[in-house]
Amino acid sequence: MSKLSSIVLLFTVLTWTGFSQKRTSLDDDWRFHFGHAANAEKDFNYSIATIFSKSGGAAKTAIDPKFVDTTWTKVQLPHDWAVKLPFVYSDNFDVISHGFKPVGGLYLETSIGWYRKRFQVSNSSKNNRFEIQFDGVFRNASVWLNGFYLGTNQSGYLGFSYDVTDYLKYGEDNVLVVRVDATQYEGWFYEGAGIYRRVWLHETNKLHIPQHTVFVTATPSGRKANVSVALEVENKNLTSDNCSVYTYITDRNGKELTRSSKKNLQIGAPRKTDASFNLTLNNCTRWDLENPYLYRAVVVVEKSGQKIHQEKVKFGIRSFEFDVKKGFSLNGKRFKIKGTNNHQDHAGVGAAMPDDLQYYRIRLLKEMGSNAYRASHNAPTPELLEACDSLGMLVVDEQRLLNSSPEYLDQFERLIKRDRNHPSVILWSIGNEEGWIQKTETGKKIAQTLLTQQKIFDPTRTSTYAADMPNEFNGVNEVIPIRGFNYRQNAVADYHRDHPNQPLIGTEMGSTVTTRGIYEADKQRAYVPDQDITAPWWASRAEEWWVLAAENDFWLGGFIWTGFDYRGEPTPYQWPNVNSHFGVMDVCGFPKNIYYYYKSWWTDEDVLHISPHWNWPDKVGQDIDVWVNSNADEVELFLNNKSLGKQVMPRNRHLKWKVPYQAGTLEAVAIKKGKTIRAQVKTTDTPFAIKLAPSVEKMRANGTDLAIINVSVVDKNGLEVPVADNVIKFRVSENAKILGVGNGDPSSHEPDQCAPGTWQRSAFNGKCQLIIQAGKTAGDITVEAYSNTLQTTKITLKQLP
Ligand code: GAL
């Protein structure tokens, strides 16, 4: 052997046995094309070529690595193809409930999506193990790598991964192909379509810790905590192997606090072995809603004294309890669960929500005073849970279907293993409103099987089920540890009387339908007044349910249906209405008036809010219903400095005045514990300029950071014009890109995504929203908003290296 080749060999061996673990994002540079659900030729020959007869090839299809995809559209993940499609009228229930987008079995041309991506792996990685992880694809995704079929994942919500070590090529292109079949729905709400969450490539040693097998449980007792870390080590080598494993815990700054001793493991080939460690932490900081403190448990696998694999898991130390008499408590502190239900789409981007948007939305909910989030009715995106962990928001994590078949037991197991280390998760939900079975013996048996599954994979928590049943017990309710009520709030007290030992929670409550900034019902445009007035027959107004939940100890609290409006479920109207009105905030996250009802009783902050706006030129002299939301002790209302009377503020309720309209200033002056608080609404002038309020001033040039820019139309005094509907156009410098636009109008058919150079959106009652994503080169980003009749506005955001 020459000297040079022995040096090369030595170097290669070192890299083989050394620490070469990596997680690489595969979100960039995909190509996308629609297939066809009924025409095989238009589906790249999918159902006429011999895809499954021989391994490693699928000639004449898009699966073939040599297939030329240069004419396909370039896309970046997360990608939701449904959001870009036009709205189409239909009288089919499922199309209506999915927001009138042409996706599903009726739309053969726009329900199959093909994705292709090339990536390279270096030659030096040849002896490692590789896994491709999809965080969520809607839905029925079949995956091939270099022509090899990897598998099909049905769920549109749960992530999945494949070991691809055998198929990888090193130092040359690998071709990953995904066929997504969205012809079936899983829900009755907008679900998006495509690879709408992130995709990762994991590189590890063949001796490694498989994903989601580390389970950290922390049991606090006073200032101490016992931390148990259980894990698996897998040997994917062809011969048995040995290694040692240990664990250490760090604080959130990475400072090591305690370390276990090493355990030596001998693992057959290919095999898995369990290991576990118990550690004690002194003087620990609890994870709570105000200070969501996260520790890290680091598990290290060593071979011959060298680190070969490491898993870092964030965890929190907290205790919680659901007590039928005392209610919910976290770390011994009692409080009501003030929750919201949410689906997972936002203005502009649909279901393809970049990570920053998850944080943005959780912050908005927290500002309202909400402390809990129910991921209805499906596994959330991993980054949503990370946002809840790090911002301090409790979570009910929900299984899509109440079903104990192998497919759904497997989904439940994957959900629990993926999410059980998140301190924010306090409760699993095994299902929602399963009308066929919830009252039956079959439903009860399925529930029992799922509850057993839950205890196997997570003995530290319990489960609920969201039942749309009044005071009824037979079926799922007989066995569910925490009884969930969807609506039927007036039956809760009777149920509690009859079953006094079962804690209960409002899994779906309230559900006033409101359109932001609208004060008269309008059947034609499908708008409902923006006050706590209108609720569907099965639901209740905010003030109906919250009074019950707040004033009765046997209510643990509840979850509003919903925190944000979402696409689909246009209730109480249909076309042209394309999204729900249930949100306390609209699809952009702009608060509706009911937001201030919740905020006044869900926070200790000073809240004083007057509605409606004060621009009613056609109503001079006519009575206007003025609502005041506040948590003050008393409120006095003035119109143009003339008192309209003082009222005592009843707890958990609102105040109302009838005020003959006259332009000018309506002012509320409130006294809260001796302190004076003031709020005003003023008649504005006509639209004059555009105001841009970005969520951040600085982004990193990483291609993923977001700026959510709230846009308002203001008069010449800078007051937002509450009826403005000007069309606003947007331009952003080339070092960033616009992801989407929205305005919260539930009947708008304007596109959320526009062709380059044509971005625009009309304001809806004074506001719209622009979402910008960072580019990859540092430098200032300029954002310009202009309109034919308004003064142009330009802002600069910093993009840091
Ligand atoms: C509930 C259901 C929700 C949503 C809501 C609309 O019954 O669980 O998903 O459909 O009704 O009011």
Side-chain angles (χ1 to χ4, degrees):
M1 194 186 279
S2 75
K3 208 168 170 190
L4 180 66
S5 50
S6 55
I7 291 172
V8 170
L9 181 68
L10 178 69
F11 176 75
T12 324
V13 171
L14 280 182
T15 10
W16 286 355
T17 53
F19 185 70
S20 52
Q21 186 183 343
K22 246 198 289 190
R23 181 174 90 141
T24 314
S25 160
L26 294 185
D27 292 345
D28 288 345
D29 302 324
W30 287 76
R31 295 277 181 164
F32 171 79
H33 203 289
F34 280 122
H36 200 287
N39 180 330
E41 279 163 12
K42 289 188 180 166
D43 200 27
F44 303 102
N45 294 328
Y46 180 67
S47 49
I48 46 177
T50 53
I51 290 168
F52 296 114
S53 60
K54 294 283 173 194
S55 190
K60 302 195 194 99
T61 71
I63 298 163
D64 182 356
K66 291 194 290 297
F67 177 89
V68 179
D69 59 18
T70 42
T71 57
W72 291 22
T73 311
K74 285 186 184 171
V75 296
Q76 185 189 348
L77 307 184
H79 176 244
D80 171 6
W81 82 64
V83 74
K84 216 170 177 163
L85 294 171
F87 297 96
V88 292
Y89 173 76
S90 169
D91 58 7
N92 174 284
F93 170 81
D94 290 301
V95 179
I96 297 170
S97 70
H98 279 77
F100 296 102
K101 287 284 182 173
V103 175
L106 291 172
Y107 304 98
L108 306 173
E109 294 180 354
T110 45
S111 297
I112 305 286
W114 284 87
Y115 290 85
R116 299 183 99 248
K117 153 128 193 118
R118 288 185 167 72
F119 64 93
Q120 292 214 352
V121 170
S122 105
N123 266 313
S124 61
S125 294
K126 266 190 177 149
N127 259 18
N128 284 335
R129 173 188 167 269
F130 285 85
E131 184 170 316
I132 289 180
Q133 174 191 334
F134 291 82
D135 283 343
V137 181
F138 195 87
R139 69 178 293 284
N140 192 3
S142 300
V143 186
W144 291 263
L145 182 68
N146 296 335
F148 290 93
Y149 175 64
L150 302 179
T152 296
N153 182 68
Q154 289 293 330
S155 167
Y157 296 101
L158 268 167
F160 53 99
S161 33
Y162 300 111
D163 186 323
V164 295
T165 317
D166 292 349
Y167 319 110
L168 267 192
K169 293 182 176 173
Y170 301 88
E172 56 181 300
D173 271 356
N174 288 284
V175 184
L176 182 62
V177 180
V178 187
R179 180 180 185 269
V180 182
D181 180 346
T183 50
Q184 288 283 350
Y185 303 118
E186 288 190 52
W188 50 95
F189 38 86
Y190 178 85
E191 303 187 272
I195 311 180
Y196 71 97
R197 292 182 186 167
R198 307 194 66 175
V199 177
W200 304 96
L201 179 70
H202 293 274
E203 174 177 357
T204 65
N205 196 288
K206 286 193 177 155
L207 205 58
H208 65 279
I209 299 172
Q211 265 200 70
H212 306 139
T213 60
V214 178
F215 183 21
V216 182
T217 50
T219 319
S221 131
R223 301 277 292 153
K224 278 193 169 174
N226 287 324
V227 182
S228 115
V229 180
L231 60 117
E232 284 174 13
V233 183
E234 183 175 38
N235 175 16
K236 282 261 186 168
N237 288 308
L238 298 178
T239 50
S240 72
D241 211 341
N242 53 53
C243 61
S244 57
V245 205
Y246 65 93
T247 296
Y248 61 93
I249 293 175
T250 77
D251 67 9
R252 66 174 162 206
N253 302 315
K255 186 177 151 223
E256 185 175 323
L257 303 172
T258 177
R259 175 182 286 239
S260 76
S261 55
K262 285 186 190 173
K263 280 192 180 167
N264 294 324
L265 304 176
Q266 173 77 31
I267 318 175
R271 272 261 192 69
K272 281 185 195 164
T273 299
D274 295 333
S276 65
F277 298 95
N278 283 309
L279 298 125
T280 306
L281 276 182
N282 295 312
N283 292 325
C284 54
T285 306
R286 298 279 181 107
W287 183 93
D288 65 26
L289 301 180
E290 294 74 38
N291 180 24
Y293 194 95
L294 295 171
Y295 289 91
R296 275 83 173 147
V298 186
V299 185
V300 180
V301 183
E302 277 186 359
K303 168 121 193 98
S304 314
Q306 248 200 337
K307 178 159 83 175
I308 55 168
H309 188 94
Q310 167 179 306
E311 281 299 302
K312 196 189 276 185
V313 172
K314 289 185 190 167
F315 70 97
I317 298 170
R318 83 282 187 261
S319 63
F320 61 88
E321 192 186 14
F322 298 97
D323 185 286
V324 75
K325 295 211 173 66
K326 292 185 273 173
F328 177 76
S329 61
L330 181 67
N331 297 319
K333 196 172 132 201
R334 268 180 69 180
F335 55 82
K336 289 279 176 190
I337 293 190
K338 299 163 180 167
T340 65
N341 282 276
N342 291 290
H343 288 312
Q344 50 171 17
D345 62 300
H346 189 90
V349 296
M353 280 211 261
D355 302 351
D356 283 3
L357 209 42
Q358 308 285 0
Y359 286 79
Y360 182 74
R361 286 162 61 98
I362 296 298
R363 275 197 194 97
L364 292 181
L365 292 168
K366 265 197 86 108
E367 279 164 23
M368 177 174 86
S370 176
N371 56 25
Y373 184 105
R374 175 170 166 232
S376 37
H377 304 295
N378 47 260
T381 300
E383 289 80 11
L384 175 108
L385 295 180
E386 282 165 22
C388 292
D389 283 350
S390 62
L391 298 173
M393 175 70 76
L394 305 170
V395 175
V396 175
D397 203 346
E398 188 155 297
Q399 162 85 336
R400 180 63 290 283
L401 270 195
L402 185 72
N403 189 338
S404 53
S405 70
E407 165 71 25
Y408 284 97
L409 278 180
D410 175 59
Q411 287 193 20
F412 198 32
E413 177 181 336
R414 279 152 61 200
L415 176 76
I416 295 173
K417 284 185 169 168
R418 191 196 69 170
D419 295 348
R420 62 191 172 177
N421 289 321
H422 289 279
S424 54
V425 176
I426 51 161
L427 197 57
W428 304 104
S429 164
I430 60 167
N432 175 76
E433 295 191 357
E434 294 283 359
W436 304 112
I437 52 168
Q438 62 186 1
K439 297 183 193 174
T440 68
E441 204 51 29
T442 308
K444 178 174 148 188
K445 283 193 227 156
I446 294 172
Q448 277 169 324
T449 306
L450 286 166
L451 293 170
T452 307
Q453 176 92 336
Q454 182 247 292
K455 283 290 176 212
I456 292 172
F457 296 108
D458 178 16
T460 72
R461 296 180 182 82
T462 189
S463 290
T464 188
Y465 163 77
D468 52 335
M469 293 158 76
N471 183 13
E472 285 172 301
F473 189 60
N474 287 354
V476 178
N477 289 340
E478 289 176 62
V479 294
I480 198 76
I482 305 217
R483 159 71 147 109
F485 270 87
N486 276 11
Y487 317 104
R488 285 57 176 186
Q489 64 286 340
N490 294 324
V492 173
D494 288 351
Y495 187 92
H496 173 65
R497 180 199 60 212
D498 298 345
H499 310 285
N501 297 322
Q502 196 178 24
L504 45 89
I505 190 160
T507 32
E508 279 175 37
M509 283 290 145
S511 220
T512 310
V513 280
T514 55
T515 313
R516 177 179 57 76
I518 292 289
Y519 293 92
E520 272 165 22
D522 180 341
K523 283 196 179 147
Q524 210 128 39
R525 294 190 301 164
Y527 296 152
V528 254
D530 189 6
Q531 304 285 23
D532 191 13
I533 296 174
T534 324
W537 63 263
W538 60 90
S540 63
R541 291 180 294 107
E543 229 172 279
E544 284 172 321
W545 86 272
W546 180 245
V547 166
L548 292 173
E551 296 172 2
N552 290 293
D553 284 346
F554 54 84
W555 282 70
L556 293 166
F559 292 81
I560 309 166
W561 188 266
T562 49
F564 298 95
D565 280 349
Y566 51 93
R567 292 167 173 77
E569 291 213 305
T571 315
Y573 304 110
Q574 293 193 357
W575 188 264
N577 183 191
V578 292
N579 71 240
S580 85
H581 289 78
F582 298 119
V584 176
M585 290 176 259
D586 68 17
V587 278
C588 301
F590 295 134
K592 305 182 191 173
N593 288 311
I594 206 168
Y595 171 97
Y596 299 95
Y597 169 76
Y598 285 113
K599 184 161 177 147
S600 56
W601 305 116
W602 282 14
T603 71
D604 295 329
E605 288 170 43
D606 295 343
V607 178
L608 182 60
H609 173 79
I610 310 173
S611 55
H613 59 72
W614 214 237
N615 280 28
W616 302 103
D618 300 337
K619 293 200 173 178
V620 176
Q622 291 177 34
D623 276 349
I624 307 266
D625 276 338
V626 172
W627 292 52
V628 173
N629 288 110
S630 179
N631 47 13
D633 303 317
E634 55 178 44
V635 182
E636 186 167 5
L637 194 67
F638 296 85
L639 177 58
N640 297 330
N641 295 322
K642 196 169 151 255
S643 174
L644 301 167
K646 192 185 274 183
Q647 297 189 48
V648 171
M649 183 81 230
R651 301 295 88 181
N652 299 314
R653 290 166 175 82
H654 72 282
L655 291 175
K656 226 159 143 182
W657 277 261
K658 270 205 185 313
V659 180
Y661 181 74
Q662 199 189 328
T665 303
L666 192 60
E667 182 174 43
V669 181
I671 307 291
K672 189 181 171 195
K673 295 189 184 132
K675 187 171 91 183
T676 305
I677 319 166
R678 290 168 191 276
Q680 293 182 336
V681 284
K682 285 186 172 183
T683 309
T684 73
D685 214 321
T686 50
F688 174 73
I690 305 166
K691 204 172 118 193
L692 299 179
S695 59
V696 291
E697 261 141 36
K698 290 180 199 147
M699 294 193 270
R700 284 163 303 149
N702 55 8
T704 54
D705 275 12
L706 292 192
I708 295 121
I709 303 185
N710 290 338
V711 182
S712 38
V713 177
V714 295
D715 70 4
K716 58 180 184 302
N717 302 313
L719 291 176
E720 182 175 302
V721 182
V723 291
D725 58 2
N726 309 62
V727 175
I728 300 173
K729 301 188 183 212
F730 301 103
R731 241 189 322 252
V732 170
S733 53
E734 274 176 12
N735 51 350
K737 72 174 184 200
I738 303 181
L739 282 191
V741 286
N743 66 7
D745 177 351
S747 302
S748 168
H749 295 182
E750 289 172 278
D752 279 14
Q753 299 187 351
C754 310
T758 67
W759 285 93
Q760 64 170 55
R761 191 70 189 230
S762 56
F764 177 60
N765 294 325
K767 296 180 202 287
C768 62
Q769 187 171 71
L770 170 72
I771 301 177
I772 289 180
Q773 187 161 54
K776 288 196 174 161
T777 39
D780 287 355
I781 298 173
T782 53
V783 182
E784 211 177 327
Y786 57 103
S787 157
N788 295 342
T789 49
L790 305 173
Q791 216 175 56
T792 298
T793 296
K794 207 181 202 175
I795 58 166
T796 307
L797 303 175
K798 293 246 171 289
Q799 188 156 271
L800 309 173

